Short mmCIF file of all heavy atoms in Angstrom, two decimals:
data_model
loop_
_atom_site.label_atom_id
_atom_site.label_comp_id
_atom_site.label_asym_id
_atom_site.label_seq_id
_atom_site.Cartn_x
_atom_site.Cartn_y
_atom_site.Cartn_z
N ALA Y 554 -15.58 90.94 -112.26
CA ALA Y 554 -15.48 89.50 -112.05
C ALA Y 554 -14.17 88.96 -112.59
O ALA Y 554 -13.51 88.12 -111.96
CB ALA Y 554 -16.66 88.79 -112.71
N THR Y 555 -13.74 89.46 -113.76
CA THR Y 555 -12.48 89.02 -114.34
C THR Y 555 -11.29 89.40 -113.46
O THR Y 555 -10.37 88.61 -113.27
CB THR Y 555 -12.30 89.62 -115.74
OG1 THR Y 555 -13.39 89.20 -116.58
CG2 THR Y 555 -10.99 89.18 -116.37
N GLN Y 556 -11.33 90.60 -112.90
CA GLN Y 556 -10.25 91.04 -112.03
C GLN Y 556 -10.17 90.20 -110.76
O GLN Y 556 -9.09 89.80 -110.32
CB GLN Y 556 -10.45 92.52 -111.65
CG GLN Y 556 -10.35 93.50 -112.81
CD GLN Y 556 -8.93 93.66 -113.31
OE1 GLN Y 556 -7.98 93.19 -112.70
NE2 GLN Y 556 -8.77 94.34 -114.44
N VAL Y 557 -11.31 89.89 -110.17
CA VAL Y 557 -11.33 89.08 -108.96
C VAL Y 557 -10.83 87.67 -109.24
O VAL Y 557 -10.04 87.09 -108.48
CB VAL Y 557 -12.75 89.04 -108.36
CG1 VAL Y 557 -12.83 88.04 -107.21
CG2 VAL Y 557 -13.16 90.42 -107.87
N LEU Y 558 -11.28 87.08 -110.36
CA LEU Y 558 -10.84 85.74 -110.72
C LEU Y 558 -9.36 85.69 -111.09
O LEU Y 558 -8.74 84.62 -111.07
CB LEU Y 558 -11.68 85.21 -111.90
CG LEU Y 558 -13.16 84.94 -111.58
CD1 LEU Y 558 -13.92 84.61 -112.85
CD2 LEU Y 558 -13.29 83.81 -110.57
N SER Y 559 -8.77 86.85 -111.41
CA SER Y 559 -7.35 86.92 -111.72
C SER Y 559 -6.49 87.15 -110.48
O SER Y 559 -5.28 87.31 -110.59
CB SER Y 559 -7.09 88.05 -112.73
OG SER Y 559 -7.79 87.82 -113.94
N GLY Y 560 -7.13 87.17 -109.31
CA GLY Y 560 -6.39 87.34 -108.07
C GLY Y 560 -6.22 88.78 -107.65
O GLY Y 560 -5.36 89.07 -106.81
N HIS Y 561 -7.01 89.68 -108.20
CA HIS Y 561 -6.92 91.09 -107.84
C HIS Y 561 -7.97 91.44 -106.79
O HIS Y 561 -9.03 90.81 -106.72
CB HIS Y 561 -7.12 91.99 -109.07
CG HIS Y 561 -6.07 91.78 -110.11
ND1 HIS Y 561 -6.10 92.45 -111.32
CD2 HIS Y 561 -4.97 91.01 -110.14
CE1 HIS Y 561 -5.06 92.08 -112.05
NE2 HIS Y 561 -4.36 91.20 -111.35
N ALA Y 562 -7.64 92.45 -105.99
CA ALA Y 562 -8.62 93.00 -105.04
C ALA Y 562 -9.30 94.19 -105.70
O ALA Y 562 -8.64 95.05 -106.29
CB ALA Y 562 -7.93 93.42 -103.75
N VAL Y 563 -10.62 94.24 -105.62
CA VAL Y 563 -11.39 95.30 -106.27
C VAL Y 563 -12.06 96.17 -105.21
O VAL Y 563 -12.74 95.65 -104.32
CB VAL Y 563 -12.44 94.71 -107.22
CG1 VAL Y 563 -13.25 95.82 -107.89
CG2 VAL Y 563 -11.77 93.85 -108.29
N VAL Y 564 -11.84 97.47 -105.32
CA VAL Y 564 -12.44 98.43 -104.40
C VAL Y 564 -13.54 99.18 -105.14
O VAL Y 564 -13.28 99.83 -106.16
CB VAL Y 564 -11.39 99.42 -103.86
CG1 VAL Y 564 -12.03 100.42 -102.92
CG2 VAL Y 564 -10.27 98.67 -103.16
N ILE Y 565 -14.77 99.08 -104.62
CA ILE Y 565 -15.92 99.74 -105.23
C ILE Y 565 -16.39 100.84 -104.29
O ILE Y 565 -16.76 100.58 -103.14
CB ILE Y 565 -17.06 98.74 -105.51
CG1 ILE Y 565 -16.55 97.60 -106.42
CG2 ILE Y 565 -18.25 99.45 -106.14
CD1 ILE Y 565 -17.59 96.53 -106.67
N VAL Y 566 -16.37 102.07 -104.76
CA VAL Y 566 -16.78 103.23 -103.97
C VAL Y 566 -18.21 103.60 -104.32
O VAL Y 566 -18.57 103.70 -105.51
CB VAL Y 566 -15.84 104.43 -104.22
CG1 VAL Y 566 -16.26 105.63 -103.39
CG2 VAL Y 566 -14.40 104.04 -103.91
N ASP Y 567 -19.03 103.79 -103.31
CA ASP Y 567 -20.44 104.12 -103.52
C ASP Y 567 -20.56 105.44 -104.29
O ASP Y 567 -19.95 106.45 -103.91
CB ASP Y 567 -21.14 104.24 -102.16
CG ASP Y 567 -22.65 104.43 -102.32
OD1 ASP Y 567 -23.19 104.05 -103.38
OD2 ASP Y 567 -23.29 104.94 -101.38
N GLY Y 568 -21.29 105.40 -105.38
CA GLY Y 568 -21.50 106.58 -106.20
C GLY Y 568 -20.53 106.71 -107.36
O GLY Y 568 -20.72 107.57 -108.22
N SER Y 569 -19.51 105.87 -107.40
CA SER Y 569 -18.53 105.93 -108.48
C SER Y 569 -18.86 104.90 -109.54
O SER Y 569 -19.32 103.79 -109.23
CB SER Y 569 -17.12 105.69 -107.94
OG SER Y 569 -16.18 105.65 -108.99
N ARG Y 570 -18.61 105.23 -110.80
CA ARG Y 570 -18.88 104.31 -111.91
C ARG Y 570 -17.66 103.47 -112.26
O ARG Y 570 -17.74 102.63 -113.15
CB ARG Y 570 -19.33 105.10 -113.14
CG ARG Y 570 -20.67 105.81 -112.96
CD ARG Y 570 -21.11 106.46 -114.26
NE ARG Y 570 -22.41 107.09 -114.12
CZ ARG Y 570 -23.04 107.69 -115.14
NH1 ARG Y 570 -22.47 107.75 -116.35
NH2 ARG Y 570 -24.22 108.24 -114.94
N THR Y 571 -16.55 103.72 -111.61
CA THR Y 571 -15.32 102.98 -111.89
C THR Y 571 -14.81 102.33 -110.61
O THR Y 571 -14.74 102.98 -109.57
CB THR Y 571 -14.24 103.92 -112.46
OG1 THR Y 571 -14.74 104.55 -113.65
CG2 THR Y 571 -13.00 103.13 -112.81
N ALA Y 572 -14.49 101.05 -110.70
CA ALA Y 572 -13.92 100.32 -109.55
C ALA Y 572 -12.41 100.26 -109.71
O ALA Y 572 -11.88 100.18 -110.82
CB ALA Y 572 -14.51 98.91 -109.48
N LEU Y 573 -11.72 100.28 -108.59
CA LEU Y 573 -10.26 100.24 -108.59
C LEU Y 573 -9.79 98.82 -108.32
O LEU Y 573 -10.18 98.21 -107.32
CB LEU Y 573 -9.69 101.17 -107.52
CG LEU Y 573 -8.17 101.20 -107.36
CD1 LEU Y 573 -7.52 101.72 -108.64
CD2 LEU Y 573 -7.76 102.05 -106.17
N ALA Y 574 -8.98 98.27 -109.22
CA ALA Y 574 -8.46 96.91 -109.09
C ALA Y 574 -6.99 96.97 -108.74
O ALA Y 574 -6.21 97.68 -109.40
CB ALA Y 574 -8.67 96.13 -110.38
N CYS Y 575 -6.59 96.22 -107.71
CA CYS Y 575 -5.20 96.19 -107.26
C CYS Y 575 -4.70 94.75 -107.31
O CYS Y 575 -5.38 93.84 -106.82
CB CYS Y 575 -5.08 96.73 -105.84
SG CYS Y 575 -5.74 98.39 -105.61
N ASP Y 576 -3.54 94.57 -107.86
CA ASP Y 576 -2.96 93.24 -107.97
C ASP Y 576 -2.32 92.84 -106.64
O ASP Y 576 -1.28 93.38 -106.26
CB ASP Y 576 -1.92 93.21 -109.09
CG ASP Y 576 -1.43 91.79 -109.39
OD1 ASP Y 576 -1.89 90.86 -108.72
OD2 ASP Y 576 -0.60 91.64 -110.30
N VAL Y 577 -2.94 91.92 -105.93
CA VAL Y 577 -2.42 91.45 -104.65
C VAL Y 577 -2.05 89.97 -104.72
O VAL Y 577 -1.74 89.35 -103.71
CB VAL Y 577 -3.45 91.66 -103.51
CG1 VAL Y 577 -3.71 93.14 -103.30
CG2 VAL Y 577 -4.76 90.94 -103.83
N SER Y 578 -2.09 89.41 -105.92
CA SER Y 578 -1.77 87.99 -106.09
C SER Y 578 -0.27 87.78 -106.03
O SER Y 578 0.52 88.66 -106.37
CB SER Y 578 -2.32 87.48 -107.41
OG SER Y 578 -1.71 88.17 -108.50
N MET Y 579 0.13 86.60 -105.61
CA MET Y 579 1.54 86.22 -105.57
C MET Y 579 1.71 84.86 -106.22
O MET Y 579 1.97 83.85 -105.56
CB MET Y 579 2.05 86.19 -104.13
CG MET Y 579 1.99 87.54 -103.42
SD MET Y 579 2.64 87.46 -101.74
CE MET Y 579 4.35 87.01 -102.06
N PRO Y 580 1.51 84.79 -107.54
CA PRO Y 580 1.60 83.50 -108.22
C PRO Y 580 3.02 82.97 -108.27
O PRO Y 580 3.98 83.74 -108.38
CB PRO Y 580 1.08 83.81 -109.63
CG PRO Y 580 1.39 85.27 -109.82
CD PRO Y 580 1.24 85.90 -108.47
N LYS Y 581 3.16 81.67 -108.17
CA LYS Y 581 4.48 81.05 -108.28
C LYS Y 581 4.83 80.88 -109.75
O LYS Y 581 3.99 80.49 -110.56
CB LYS Y 581 4.48 79.69 -107.58
CG LYS Y 581 4.30 79.78 -106.07
CD LYS Y 581 4.39 78.40 -105.44
CE LYS Y 581 4.23 78.49 -103.92
NZ LYS Y 581 4.31 77.15 -103.28
N SER Y 582 6.06 81.16 -110.08
CA SER Y 582 6.50 81.05 -111.48
C SER Y 582 7.82 80.29 -111.54
O SER Y 582 8.57 80.22 -110.56
CB SER Y 582 6.67 82.44 -112.11
OG SER Y 582 7.61 83.21 -111.39
N ARG Y 583 8.08 79.73 -112.70
CA ARG Y 583 9.31 79.00 -112.92
C ARG Y 583 10.49 79.95 -112.97
O ARG Y 583 10.38 81.09 -113.42
CB ARG Y 583 9.18 78.21 -114.23
CG ARG Y 583 10.36 77.35 -114.59
CD ARG Y 583 9.97 76.39 -115.72
NE ARG Y 583 9.41 77.10 -116.86
CZ ARG Y 583 10.14 77.57 -117.86
NH1 ARG Y 583 11.44 77.42 -117.86
NH2 ARG Y 583 9.55 78.19 -118.87
N ALA Y 584 11.64 79.50 -112.49
CA ALA Y 584 12.83 80.34 -112.49
C ALA Y 584 13.25 80.69 -113.91
O ALA Y 584 12.99 79.95 -114.86
CB ALA Y 584 13.97 79.63 -111.76
N ILE Y 585 13.90 81.84 -114.06
CA ILE Y 585 14.40 82.28 -115.36
C ILE Y 585 15.69 81.54 -115.66
O ILE Y 585 16.72 81.76 -115.01
CB ILE Y 585 14.62 83.79 -115.37
CG1 ILE Y 585 13.29 84.51 -115.14
CG2 ILE Y 585 15.25 84.23 -116.69
CD1 ILE Y 585 13.42 86.02 -115.02
N THR Y 586 15.65 80.65 -116.63
CA THR Y 586 16.81 79.84 -117.00
C THR Y 586 17.01 79.89 -118.51
O THR Y 586 16.17 80.43 -119.25
CB THR Y 586 16.62 78.38 -116.56
OG1 THR Y 586 15.42 77.86 -117.15
CG2 THR Y 586 16.52 78.28 -115.04
#
């Protein structure tokens, strides 16, 4: 739930105890000045 709310895509494989989270978010950020 935390990964999804952070803008990540989560892949859950049937039979696996670990889900794979991929960062697909593109947040806007302030320029480096």
